[in-house]
Amino acid sequence: MESGSNRHIGDLLKERNIELVGADPVTRQGFTQVPNFILTKADISVGAKLAYAMLLKYAWGDDACFPGQATLATDMGSGERSVRRYLDELEKVKLLEVVQRGLGKTNLYRLFLTVQKPGSRGRR
């Protein structure tokens, strides 16, 4: 059996037969947990934090995500130029790696869920 840390919350909820009481159309769409170190990170903007949360939202179901920047912009209520700036911020602080998948395809986004130790050379 897999350890609990390697399993998705949706699988755990199904397994435990948890009933959501009082759920409405808004809450039935689910929730996204964002690590606290992201929420309190002083060297990135609020927009970059929201972009990180949106990428987490997309990735939780599949362990990967590749939304287009237009999709991100629409879902965030932002412009595509702002989205690019937020993604650049996340790359600079090594919370995100953007992998280009080819002409006409959306990028693959790799989110890092751990804090890099000072002096470490990288995560790759």
Side-chain angles (χ1 to χ4, degrees), residues 35-99:
N36 286 334
F37 83 92
I38 296 292
L39 298 175
T40 58
K41 194 160 180 50
D43 59 344
I44 59 174
S45 68
V46 172
K49 293 173 186 183
L50 178 58
Y52 188 94
M54 291 303 299
L55 292 172
L56 272 177
K57 171 195 170 294
Y58 300 137
W60 279 127
D62 301 322
D63 291 332
C65 68
F66 30 88
Q69 291 179 1
T71 299
L72 269 169
T74 298
D75 289 349
M76 291 175 59
S78 180
E80 288 184 53
R81 181 179 292 170
S82 294
V83 166
R84 284 190 290 278
R85 188 175 69 244
Y86 301 146
L87 297 177
D88 287 344
E89 278 185 64
L90 293 171
E91 281 187 292
K92 285 178 185 167
V93 295
K94 302 199 183 322
L95 291 171
L96 174 69
E97 178 184 13
V98 179
V99 179

